[in-house]
Amino acid sequence: MNDDQENRLIVMKDNQVKNLLASLAIAAVGCLAYWAYDAQVRVDEYNVKVISLTETIQAITAKQLADQESNLKDVEENKLVDDRVKVLEATVQSQQAAIDELTARLTKKKK
């Protein structure tokens, strides 16, 4: 083999190495692009789940707040009823005392 052929062979091998490196670089960029896309898809899926969970938590919180307001209203109504019952009990006791007094008077008059 003469020098010219050797130089051509070296250039050809050098070009093959350059082509191989370029192919590897393209493959690496492709892999990185795929990984970035896959990561973005996962982030999007997680974001959808987070949004869904946030909406669920907000709905539960709203229901709990409504329940608390309802319970507070019930407690207030129960207090009013309890106050009315106490007034009625006091009225019944005073009426019972009046009845007992009248009964005692009638009993004394009959004797």
Side-chain angles (χ1 to χ4, degrees):
M1 212 183 269
N2 64 27
D3 287 342
D4 190 37
Q5 289 175 333
E6 282 182 31
N7 284 341
R8 284 185 192 166
L9 186 61
I10 291 171
V11 168
M12 191 172 71
K13 287 183 180 181
D14 189 42
N15 285 339
Q16 286 176 343
V17 168
K18 287 179 183 175
N19 287 338
L20 180 61
L21 290 174
S23 295
L24 287 173
I26 290 170
V29 168
C31 286
L32 291 174
Y34 173 77
W35 291 335
Y37 170 78
D38 186 54
Q40 185 61 49
V41 167
R42 289 182 189 181
V43 166
D44 291 344
E45 290 172 354
Y46 289 135
N47 284 340
V48 167
K49 289 178 183 178
V50 166
I51 289 169
S52 176
L53 288 172
T54 301
E55 289 171 352
T56 301
I57 290 168
Q58 288 172 340
I60 290 170
T61 302
K63 172 115 175 57
Q64 287 175 338
L65 181 60
D67 289 347
Q68 286 174 348
E69 289 175 358
S70 176
N71 289 342
L72 182 59
K73 185 178 177 183
D74 289 346
V75 166
E76 290 171 354
E77 287 177 5
N78 288 343
K79 186 178 182 324
L80 290 174
V81 169
D82 286 346
D83 291 346
R84 287 186 202 137
V85 166
K86 288 177 184 176
V87 169
L88 289 173
E89 286 174 344
T91 303
V92 167
Q93 286 176 354
S94 68
Q95 289 176 347
Q96 184 62 46
I99 289 171
D100 291 344
E101 186 181 323
L102 289 173
T103 302
R105 286 184 193 172
L106 285 173
T107 304
K108 285 184 185 177
K109 285 187 180 181
K110 285 187 181 179
K111 290 184 180 178

